[in-house]
Amino acid sequence: MIFKLPWRLLNRLAFGLAVLLRWAHELAMPQLTRDMQTQTESAVNLLRGHGISLAQANWQDLSRPIFEPLNLWPPGYAWLIAGLLQMTGSNVLLATQIMHWAGLLGLFAAWWFLLRPLHTSLVPGAPAAFFLFWGLSNAPFHLLFGTDLLALACYSGGLAVLFNLLTRRAGHRRRSAGLGTALAMSGLGFAACLFRFAYYPLAFFLPLALLFFAWRWRPAQRRPALAALLLLSGLVGGLLFYQARVAGDAYYITRFYTQLATEPAARAIGGLYWHHLLQLDPFLYHSFFSNELDFSRLPNGAILRAGAVLLISGVVVAVLLVGLGREWRAARRRGRVWPTRRVLFHLLHLGTALLGGGLLVALSLRYPAALVGWFAGGSWTYVADTRYWLPVFLSVSGMLGVLVLARPRRLPDVVRLAAVAVLGASLLLSLATRGRRTAQLIGQQPAFSMDRAPGQPAEIRQLDELLRTVRPGQPVLFGRNYYNKRVEIEARLAGHIILDADSLLAHQPLRLSRPALMLFDLNPGTPPSPAVAAFLRRHGARETLRLPILGAHILRLKIRPATVPTVPGE
């Protein structure tokens, strides 16, 4: 019988099962977001000797592209994916999956060590409940991929090291003050900064929190705390120097994000934009429920969603206020000068949530909204972007879980039942959506989540082989007379330069200092315009690949330095 197995073994089995469940979903539906695509593109250029950069067309000499340093992100993801691309033979799908699997394993391992000091103050099966819930839940894991997943895994690891440092037994503290452990904590915090700019303040929270508790209660840990703070300051300073000298700037730190195609950079004038707080994401609701439930399909969907957000947020606030208040009062009744382990756990995660949310509020108040087409309403600011709240989501979810599973109980029965109802509803909704999609896709050949049509992965492989072998080690000009997102992604991931037909025709005659190879993607459903047809004839275009499911017709042509007169009508 399973109930006769020791809880230690059951908890380990639940941890392994939760990791496998997350891996299974990643195998069935690997993510490739725009952010990851752009950073992978920069990693391809790194492998080709151009640094972490993006290739842009140089209309003064198309055969010598301009490589612009990547400045929207720190270099950590590009470094890692470049190494994986070398190991996997430039298989982007496999490299991305390995990155996700490693990040998920790292995040779950960090939380295993975060919960370990609490094993005597939680019910015996608490780790099993935690990891099985996260293994099946949609929130917040539906948004955890790429740099967000890796950064949160590193930060959670640093937080676990800090928590274990602060909960060491007295005898162990006398034998070792924990210098090496404190330095490892700062190293993990810095690793998070290598993936996301937003983790700079959270990384400094780790040594500063250690220094605060050491100065008040643990004098032996003052030197390790100061050494950890000094190490982190040097590492972050070096990263900022790299961003300033190599990348040119650090977005979100040295200047505000703008879409220069739709708004001038001069528009980003600092001020106090209080109205941006009206776009505040319902982060307490999203800590347990993602957007898989489409309220727009229901009658009065907007009202129903607002009601659900208010109800869930109210329950979460009530549980946290009642639970944390009772934990603190219980610790004071015991006459504890040093916070109990559960209080310490809540303080660290409450600090993480407040610092992460406070940063988003401060930036949203300081800078104007960016005018973008990819965000709902076309106006983007920090507090409105759900993905930016991920550290808060996990902190809130973890605190609620510890309050529910605490031993002895701190929550009144009614409040505890309300918390269990929120967790149960979150899990049931996830099982009804994510579980079904995973079950449908797990038996199929892995493909990016955008690959839906049967047989399409085979065409993607053909396109990949063409793009990687046409001219090894050099960018290829990739022209098109229509927009095919999937083909463009493959071309960019191969490090090639996308050129629209309108731009090609507008720059006649083309300027080159040496011959350049071009692949041209024609829309098979629409005949090319006379100007495009004349351009292709002039340069001797030849068919090289037809991909009917992708809807692509790839031609190969060579552009030579000789000046060609413009065809009338172009």
Side-chain angles (χ1 to χ4, degrees):
M1 293 291 293
I2 189 171
F3 297 106
K4 293 183 179 180
L5 295 175
W7 277 112
R8 176 176 291 186
L9 177 59
L10 288 175
N11 288 333
R12 283 168 168 74
L13 290 175
F15 174 86
L17 178 58
V19 172
L20 291 176
L21 287 170
R22 301 311 317 180
W23 281 2
H25 182 80
E26 292 300 325
L27 180 64
M29 293 185 66
Q31 296 288 338
L32 181 65
T33 64
R34 181 74 176 181
D35 291 1
M36 295 160 59
Q37 173 198 327
T38 304
Q39 292 179 81
T40 304
E41 181 184 349
S42 71
V44 171
N45 289 324
L46 173 64
L47 294 176
R48 290 177 167 178
H50 303 295
I52 300 176
S53 63
L54 302 176
Q56 306 291 339
N58 178 7
W59 291 108
Q60 301 303 311
D61 187 352
L62 276 179
S63 62
R64 302 183 185 277
I66 299 171
F67 292 92
E68 296 182 351
L70 184 72
N71 61 354
L72 277 170
W73 297 273
Y77 188 90
W79 287 341
L80 276 183
I81 200 71
L84 286 173
L85 288 174
Q86 285 187 310
M87 294 170 55
T88 60
S90 299
N91 188 324
V92 175
L93 175 60
L94 179 58
T96 303
Q97 286 177 325
I98 292 174
M99 192 84 84
H100 288 180
W101 292 340
L104 285 167
L105 179 60
L107 180 63
F108 275 42
W111 271 87
W112 177 271
F113 286 101
L114 264 168
L115 294 174
R116 190 167 65 174
L118 299 177
H119 72 279
T120 58
S121 60
L122 299 178
V123 297
F130 258 99
F131 291 111
L132 287 178
F133 175 77
W134 282 340
L136 295 167
S137 176
N138 260 1
F141 293 92
H142 69 297
L143 293 172
L144 271 174
F145 40 76
T147 53
D148 297 291
L149 174 58
L150 294 165
L152 190 53
C154 292
Y155 174 73
S156 298
L159 201 64
V161 173
L162 171 62
F163 189 43
N164 280 269
L165 263 176
L166 295 176
T167 54
R168 282 183 170 185
R169 294 177 181 177
H172 191 94
R173 287 194 301 270
R174 283 194 295 269
R175 288 193 302 270
S176 171
L179 176 61
T181 308
L183 296 179
M185 174 194 69
S186 283
L188 287 167
F190 173 69
C193 298
L194 286 173
F195 297 109
R196 298 281 299 174
F197 290 130
Y199 282 81
Y200 278 67
L202 289 174
F204 278 99
F205 172 70
L206 300 174
L208 288 175
L210 178 61
L211 183 61
F212 170 78
F213 286 107
W215 213 269
R216 180 66 177 83
W217 290 290
R218 296 288 186 262
Q221 291 182 346
R222 291 176 185 174
R223 284 188 177 181
L226 289 171
L229 181 60
L230 182 62
L231 174 65
L232 181 62
S233 300
L235 291 173
V236 171
L239 181 56
L240 287 174
F241 180 78
Y242 165 87
Q243 289 291 145
R245 296 298 300 269
V246 177
D249 59 65
Y251 260 107
Y252 309 101
I253 295 178
T254 59
R255 64 189 178 110
F256 176 69
Y257 172 77
T258 59
Q259 289 286 95
L260 299 184
T262 58
E263 59 180 324
R267 184 184 178 280
I269 301 173
L272 287 177
Y273 299 89
W274 294 100
H275 62 281
H276 287 172
L277 299 185
L278 298 175
Q279 295 180 254
L280 186 74
D281 182 84
F283 58 91
L284 294 175
Y285 172 81
H286 281 148
S287 296
F288 302 96
F289 295 90
S290 60
N291 292 321
E292 66 269 284
L293 181 56
D294 189 357
F295 285 92
S296 64
R297 297 177 180 270
L298 304 174
N300 300 315
I303 297 176
L304 288 174
R305 186 179 189 279
V309 167
L310 291 174
L311 175 62
I312 299 300
S313 300
V315 170
V316 172
V317 168
V319 172
L320 293 179
L321 287 178
V322 172
L324 296 181
R326 290 197 169 199
E327 287 280 15
W328 186 257
R329 287 194 295 273
R332 293 193 64 181
R333 282 197 300 269
R334 293 174 60 186
R336 295 291 297 266
V337 177
W338 175 255
T340 63
R341 293 190 173 196
R342 286 211 306 251
V343 168
L344 191 57
F345 174 90
H346 292 307
L347 287 176
L348 292 179
H349 284 89
L350 190 61
T352 296
L354 291 176
L355 188 58
L359 174 66
L360 300 180
V361 170
L363 292 173
S364 296
L365 291 176
R366 183 74 178 91
Y367 295 107
L371 305 178
V372 293
W374 46 261
F375 194 77
S379 178
W380 177 91
T381 189
Y382 297 89
V383 295
D385 200 324
T386 302
R387 183 168 60 94
Y388 278 37
W389 292 89
L390 284 169
V392 179
F393 293 162
L394 213 61
S395 294
V396 171
S397 180
M399 285 191 292
L400 196 80
V402 167
L403 288 172
V404 168
L405 299 169
R407 184 182 64 177
R409 294 182 181 179
R410 300 298 185 206
L411 294 175
D413 290 341
V414 174
V415 177
R416 187 170 185 272
L417 182 62
V420 171
V422 169
L423 296 173
S426 171
L427 189 58
L428 287 175
L429 184 59
S430 297
L431 289 173
T433 54
R434 192 180 196 116
R436 174 177 55 83
R437 291 198 300 269
T438 302
Q440 290 173 344
L441 294 170
I442 192 62
Q444 299 181 12
Q445 186 174 3
F448 285 126
S449 57
M450 67 187 73
D451 296 334
R452 302 295 186 188
Q456 189 165 316
E459 291 196 353
I460 291 295
R461 285 197 301 273
Q462 295 179 54
L463 182 60
D464 281 341
E465 291 173 2
L466 172 67
L467 294 173
R468 289 203 304 265
T469 59
V470 285
R471 195 176 180 185
Q474 293 294 331
V476 173
L477 304 175
F478 198 96
R480 64 185 184 187
N481 70 330
Y482 74 116
Y483 179 64
N484 187 324
K485 180 179 180 181
R486 198 62 176 93
V487 174
E488 176 181 331
I489 287 175
E490 295 303 317
R492 290 192 182 279
L493 290 178
H496 302 329
I497 303 167
I498 303 297
L499 301 171
D500 291 313
D502 291 341
S503 298
L504 286 168
L505 298 176
H507 286 85
Q508 294 290 340
L510 298 177
R511 299 181 180 181
L512 297 92
S513 60
R514 59 186 178 184
L517 178 65
M518 175 180 287
L519 297 178
F520 199 98
D521 183 17
L522 279 176
N523 185 354
T526 304
S529 66
V532 170
F535 176 85
L536 296 175
R537 284 197 307 271
R538 183 185 317 131
H539 297 289
R542 296 290 183 269
E543 179 180 310
T544 187
L545 188 62
R546 278 186 180 269
L547 304 170
I549 297 177
L550 278 177
H553 179 194
I554 310 295
L555 306 176
R556 183 196 302 251
L557 56 147
K558 179 161 286 190
I559 310 294
R560 301 187 181 278
T563 301
V564 180
T566 304
V567 176
E570 294 184 1

